[in-house]
Amino acid sequence: MDDYKIKLESFEGPIALLMHVIEKNQVDIYDIPIAVVTEQYLAYIRAMEKFNIDIASEFLVMAATLLQIKSRLLLPKPPAMEQLTEEVDPRLELVERLLEYRRYKHAAGLLETLLHQREKLFSRPPRDFGTRLVLPDGLKLDDLIEAFAAVWESVVDEFTFIAREEISVQDKMQDILQLLRKHNGRMEFNQTIIRSGSRVELVTAFLAMLELIRLRRVRIKQDNSFGPIFLMMGEVVQ
Amino acid sequence: MFYRHLKGHIEALLFANGNPISADKFAEILEIDRENVSLLLEELKQDMANSERGLTICEVADGYQLCSKPELVDIIGRLVDVHEARLSQAAMETLAIIAFKQPVTRLEMENIRGVKVDGVVSTLSDRGLIHEVGRKDAIGRPILYGTTDEFLKCFGLKNLDELPNLAEFIDNNEKP
């Protein structure tokens, strides 16, 4: 029954569609029969809707433009306006856009032709003149064996034991008290680092200092944040 | 012609390089002047045309390139299925706008085509046919696009100066 078929070409945009309508009707681009063109343009949009093609907003903007031009052509101009302004064809702006679009559409066709011509020619891809690997000269089998032997020997397991430094807080507390006595009961915290100077010693020394403070064996004084900490003998608690 | 013995040199250089070689580059390598380079290339091209040879020299992207003769396209086509990655109509139109109007911003392309061109522009960029050539002195400093040497090679153009002639050609065809 339904022998009515629409071959829907996909249109990139409203201008492409409008151009298609104009070309199909073979009308003069400088004198577009706006009523016919608008009607057909809208028919296309409706067909697109029917086929559930999402219509981009640009298509609708163009539809509105066409309708506006159509109405402007239909409506009589107010007499005052007629005298004031020179009559400008409301289609003019649209025609200019269409002409420019057509120019580039033709240019695209021309590029396409050039491309086809060029595609008949085959050329080589540029050669990669990268690094050329050069093998060393004058090597003998002995050299290889020697090299292998050298590698073989170097793989012998060799271990070195690194003793872990064990400093107890207890030891460090003794250190601090001894040092304080040596320094006449007053010294800087930095001076308690007397062994390996490792992070472990530093932390231990700090813990030892805190412990000594708790036991009231030492007192500390720090004038400002991150400044040097001074340790002093605390009052001896019996 | 004193330099006739250099014709083979030129052929070898063209073969080894693959890409177009400029006349200046030939002059530099062969240590002769440019006029002689052009003469030698012309003579070499004649040799290739006259005899039963399969190769020719074409002028493209401000240089000379060794390539197979156009009439042999079918025979090469039998060798392999030539892989075709065609540019869409949208891409061709956008490329035409960039080629004839360059330098041009995206907005200018969109105004002509009446649609967004973001996708097409990145396709053309990926293909190496266009690239950024600067920024327009306008609000937002939009990117300006232009065509590349690859574009010239793809379309068999000697240089961009060949393009305005094409534009005239189109205008003349439009208004009979």
Side-chain angles (χ1 to χ4, degrees), chain B residues 146-172:
Chain B
T147 53
T148 58
D149 271 1
E150 185 62 29
F151 165 80
L152 294 177
K153 278 193 261 169
C154 260
F155 290 85
L157 294 163
K158 276 181 216 172
N159 48 50
L160 283 176
D161 293 342
E162 285 198 327
L163 283 179
N165 303 333
L166 296 178
E168 270 169 39
F169 167 81
I170 290 162
D171 279 342
N172 294 340

Side-chain angles (χ1 to χ4, degrees), chain A residues 12-14 97 101 103-105 107-108 110-112 115-116 118-124 126-127 129, chain B residues 15-17 19 58 65-68 70 76 86 90 92-93 101 113 115 153-155 166 169-171:
Chain A
E12 259 287 315
R97 283 190 70 187
Y101 174 72
R103 200 171 301 136
Y104 287 106
K105 203 183 161 188
L110 218 104
L111 287 183
E112 189 96 44
L115 194 62
H116 278 303
R118 174 63 196 178
E119 273 169 353
K120 290 181 184 162
L121 308 175
F122 289 84
S123 53
R124 295 179 56 251
R127 180 143 158 27
F129 292 105
Chain B
F15 171 75
N17 198 58
N19 256 345
C58 54
Q65 191 175 28
L66 197 66
C67 50
S68 65
I76 295 172
R86 292 238 145 266
M92 284 304 280
E93 283 177 15
K101 225 177 142 66
R113 295 202 48 240
V115 269
K153 278 193 261 169
C154 260
F155 290 85
L166 296 178
F169 167 81
I170 290 162
D171 279 342

Side-chain angles (χ1 to χ4, degrees), chain B residues 34-168:
Chain B
R34 274 189 62 151
E35 293 81 71
N36 282 313
V37 169
S38 308
L39 286 171
L40 282 170
L41 278 159
E42 199 45 52
E43 207 166 298
L44 188 57
K45 203 172 164 181
Q46 286 301 323
D47 294 350
M48 292 171 141
N50 294 341
S51 58
E52 287 132 15
R53 302 267 306 262
L55 296 179
T56 186
I57 296 168
C58 54
E59 267 180 78
V60 70
D62 278 327
Y64 298 87
Q65 191 175 28
L66 197 66
C67 50
S68 65
K69 288 181 175 167
E71 55 268 33
L72 299 176
V73 59
D74 291 335
I75 206 79
I76 295 172
R78 279 187 224 166
L79 182 68
V80 276
D81 290 330
V82 178
H83 175 69
E84 282 196 0
R86 292 238 145 266
L87 284 172
S88 66
Q89 181 63 25
M92 284 304 280
E93 283 177 15
T94 310
L95 185 59
I97 295 169
I98 297 168
F100 286 92
K101 225 177 142 66
Q102 61 186 310
V104 61
T105 66
R106 271 176 209 233
L107 188 68
E108 288 162 337
M109 302 175 209
E110 283 168 4
N111 282 344
I112 294 170
R113 295 202 48 240
V115 269
K116 289 266 169 217
V117 294
D118 295 344
V120 186
V121 165
S122 57
T123 306
L124 293 172
S125 252
D126 292 346
R127 289 268 196 115
L129 295 170
I130 60 164
H131 61 167
E132 291 183 29
V133 292
R135 299 268 177 170
K136 190 174 175 142
D137 216 359
I139 296 163
R141 312 223 350 106
I143 298 167
L144 287 164
Y145 292 91
T147 53
T148 58
D149 271 1
E150 185 62 29
F151 165 80
L152 294 177
K153 278 193 261 169
C154 260
F155 290 85
L157 294 163
K158 276 181 216 172
N159 48 50
L160 283 176
D161 293 342
E162 285 198 327
L163 283 179
N165 303 333
L166 296 178
E168 270 169 39

Side-chain angles (χ1 to χ4, degrees), chain A residues 15 32 53 62 73 80 112 133 137 171-172 191 209 224 234 236:
Chain A
I15 302 214
I32 302 169
I53 299 169
M62 178 61 80
L73 286 171
E112 189 96 44
L133 292 173
D137 269 348
D171 291 346
K172 203 69 210 171
Q191 288 172 287
M209 183 185 74
N224 47 345
V236 182

